[in-house]
Amino acid sequence: MSNINSTGSSTSLALAREQVKQLRLEASVRRITVSQAATELKSFCLQNAHKDALLIGVPDKYNPFYSPKCVLL
């Protein structure tokens, strides 16, 4: 009966150690303010807007979904 308790407590101890390890890792992550993150994101988007296919479109010759319209006479 004591084997069950010691196994259960060692399992919970191992889980607690893993949680502490994860919490320490998360606490060590460098954080920035939301306003700084928003400014950096806006700057990045503006700098790369000329490469964004959603903003400039995809040329027909590179668009795999483009199907030329045929005109029936």
Side-chain angles (χ1 to χ4, degrees), residues 7-71:
T7 303
S9 64
S10 66
T11 303
S12 63
L13 181 60
L15 287 172
R17 285 185 177 163
E18 284 297 317
Q19 288 176 340
V20 168
K21 182 179 175 183
Q22 181 64 32
L23 289 171
R24 284 187 177 147
L25 177 70
E26 290 176 14
S28 67
V29 172
R30 186 179 75 89
R31 303 193 188 283
I32 59 174
T33 61
V34 173
S35 59
Q36 181 183 356
T39 302
E40 290 177 9
L41 180 60
K42 181 179 175 184
S43 174
F44 175 83
C45 290
L46 291 173
Q47 289 174 358
N48 294 294
H50 67 281
K51 298 184 231 176
D52 192 338
L54 294 175
L55 296 176
I56 62 170
V58 177
D60 292 338
K61 67 179 183 178
Y62 297 115
N63 187 350
F65 302 106
Y66 175 74
S67 61
K69 298 175 182 171
C70 61
V71 178

